[in-house]
Amino acid sequence: MWLFNSSIGRKLVMSISGLALVLFLTFHASMNLVLIFSESGYNWICEMLGANWYALVGTVGLAALVIIHFVYGFWLTIQNRAARGTDRYEETAKIWGVDWASKNMLVLGIVVLLGLFVHLFNFWFNMQLAELTEMETIFAPTDGAGLVKYTFTGVLADGSMDECWCHPVYCVLYLVWFAALWFHLTHGIWSALHTLGWSNLIWFKRIKTIGFIWATLVVLMFAAVVFYYLGVYFGACL
């Protein structure tokens, strides 16, 4: 099948799966931003997207997209390096206008994937999975606001603080994750749209600008929540 056997087919799969994940990230970042303005509103969203059948179908679909995107990305990287041979570093250095992100997409992808595992451990494990298995957790599976606040500040449901060192560390880890995600998205969105046909001279710079703005807005929405709770953490420590 040409989607597996040809380079163009593999790039097409990478582009479609990548853009689908970008759409999910946009929704997820917008949902997270609700936390800053209304904890009850955020908890309503968490309850709506808990262990309901449509949320479970979506989770399986997202997992498939992540696996497909990473496997194809790794496959294409190995293929490109094999094609360039031993001169790949010299050739890359001579290409004018090649972004740093474009030359490090695999490394950035691995950092993003590692950050995803941390995120699943902190939230999916304690929310959707906990609701499915009726596992006992510190917060109710639908109390997403309480769990997020606890993860980044250590503030428990009764208002007391868990003095564990991990909470500010999680803030730093998430910000590093978001930085890697930003680099990955700024090149990835442009590359995907380019692969799908927006490659003429008029749209070449436009789609690069669109990718930059889109990636920046998504990452800023994610980071805003972490910075907000960093402020809560330092405020509670004073």
Side-chain angles (χ1 to χ4, degrees):
M1 187 176 180
W2 70 277
L3 289 176
F4 298 95
N5 299 329
S6 72
S7 176
I8 295 176
R10 289 192 285 270
K11 288 180 180 179
L12 184 62
V13 172
M14 273 285 291
S15 300
I16 294 173
S17 62
L19 289 176
L21 289 170
V22 170
L23 289 175
F24 167 74
L25 286 172
T26 305
F27 163 75
H28 193 21
S30 303
M31 181 188 81
N32 283 6
L33 204 61
V34 175
L35 248 175
I36 297 176
F37 304 101
S38 173
E39 291 188 355
S40 61
Y42 182 76
N43 283 343
W44 177 82
I45 296 173
C46 291
E47 186 174 357
M48 185 178 65
L49 297 175
N52 301 305
W53 68 268
Y54 49 84
L56 295 175
V57 171
T59 300
V60 173
L62 282 170
L65 282 172
V66 169
I67 293 170
I68 290 169
H69 191 72
F70 182 79
V71 169
Y72 270 74
F74 185 79
W75 192 357
L76 281 168
T77 300
I78 297 301
Q79 173 191 328
N80 291 339
R81 290 188 176 183
R84 289 172 183 167
T86 56
D87 296 328
R88 60 183 180 269
Y89 296 107
E90 181 181 353
E91 291 176 5
T92 302
K94 292 179 181 179
I95 299 175
W96 176 258
V98 175
D99 295 326
W100 177 85
S102 69
K103 294 183 287 184
N104 294 277
M105 286 297 279
L106 181 62
V107 174
L108 290 169
I110 291 172
V111 174
V112 170
L113 193 64
L114 291 174
L116 177 61
F117 289 144
V118 174
H119 188 62
L120 290 174
F121 171 76
N122 282 332
F123 297 104
W124 178 78
F125 181 83
N126 289 293
M127 295 178 73
Q128 190 176 73
L129 183 62
E131 188 174 350
L132 280 171
T133 60
E134 298 183 352
M135 179 176 59
E136 289 189 11
T137 55
I138 298 175
F139 292 89
T142 55
D143 186 11
L147 181 60
V148 173
K149 189 174 184 178
Y150 170 75
T151 301
F152 293 130
T153 68
V155 176
L156 295 162
D158 61 3
S160 62
M161 283 195 68
D162 177 4
E163 299 297 335
C164 180
W165 55 269
C166 65
H167 303 293
V169 171
Y170 275 135
C171 291
V172 174
L173 289 176
Y174 270 81
L175 291 175
V176 171
W177 182 32
F178 296 151
L181 183 64
W182 182 82
F183 280 110
H184 195 76
L185 291 179
T186 50
H187 176 73
I189 295 173
W190 168 82
S191 180
L193 293 174
H194 186 271
T195 298
L196 293 175
W198 289 14
S199 55
N200 59 63
L201 293 176
I202 295 176
W203 279 98
F204 188 82
K205 291 184 178 180
R206 290 180 182 178
I207 61 175
K208 198 154 193 175
T209 302
I210 290 170
F212 179 86
I213 295 173
W214 194 350
T216 301
L217 289 175
V218 168
V219 170
L220 282 177
M221 284 192 288
F222 278 126
V225 176
V226 178
F227 281 117
Y228 173 78
Y229 282 110
L230 265 176
V232 173
Y233 173 78
F234 286 116
C237 290
L238 296 177

